[in-house]
Amino acid sequence: MSRIAQAFDSGQWSVIASASAKAALLTLALPLAACGAGGFSLEKAEVDRSIITSSAPSAPAVPASSDNDSDQTTIGNAVSSADIQELGGQAVPWANAGTGSRGSITELVELKD
C-alpha cells in the first residue's frame, strides 16, 4: 500500500471528518451570530417612504350601453303589460330601479299583424 493509503487506513478518517464537520458548523453559525450581534430591532425599523404605489382607476359599476338596454327592457315590459283599452289615453309610467331612470309613455298605438 502507498503511504497515503496507509495514512487514511490508520484512523485518519475520524480526524478529517471531524474537521470538515467543524468547518460546516462554523460556516453556518457565523452568519447567524453576525445577525444576532448586529441587533435587529423592530423599534429601529422605519417605513420605507421611497416606495410609491398607486391604484388602477375603477371601472363604472354598470356600463352605459347596459343602462340603455336595461331601460329599454323595463319600458318594453311596461308597454307589454299595459291594457290599452283600460288605460283610456292615460300615460303608462315606468321606472328602472337598477339605473334610477323613470318616465311615462304618453301615447300607445296597438298594431295587429
Side-chain angles (χ1 to χ4, degrees):
M1 241 192 240
S2 70
R3 289 185 180 240
I4 296 173
Q6 288 176 353
F8 287 123
D9 283 342
S10 64
Q12 296 291 325
W13 280 113
S14 63
V15 174
I16 293 171
S18 66
S20 63
K22 288 178 186 176
L25 184 62
L26 190 61
T27 303
L28 294 174
L30 271 178
L32 292 174
C35 289
F40 176 77
S41 172
L42 289 177
E43 294 169 353
K44 296 177 185 176
E46 295 180 13
V47 176
D48 186 1
R49 301 285 181 197
S50 65
I51 299 174
I52 299 173
T53 61
S54 63
S55 62
S58 62
V62 179
S65 64
S66 178
D67 288 347
N68 290 339
D69 293 342
S70 177
D71 288 343
Q72 289 176 358
T73 302
T74 302
I75 293 168
N77 289 340
V79 169
S80 64
S81 64
D83 186 5
I84 295 175
Q85 293 176 355
E86 190 175 300
L87 284 173
Q90 294 178 345
V92 178
W94 64 271
N96 186 349
T99 62
S101 300
R102 64 180 182 208
S104 60
I105 303 164
T106 55
E107 292 185 34
L108 285 176
V109 178
E110 184 175 15
L111 297 175
K112 295 183 181 181
D113 288 333

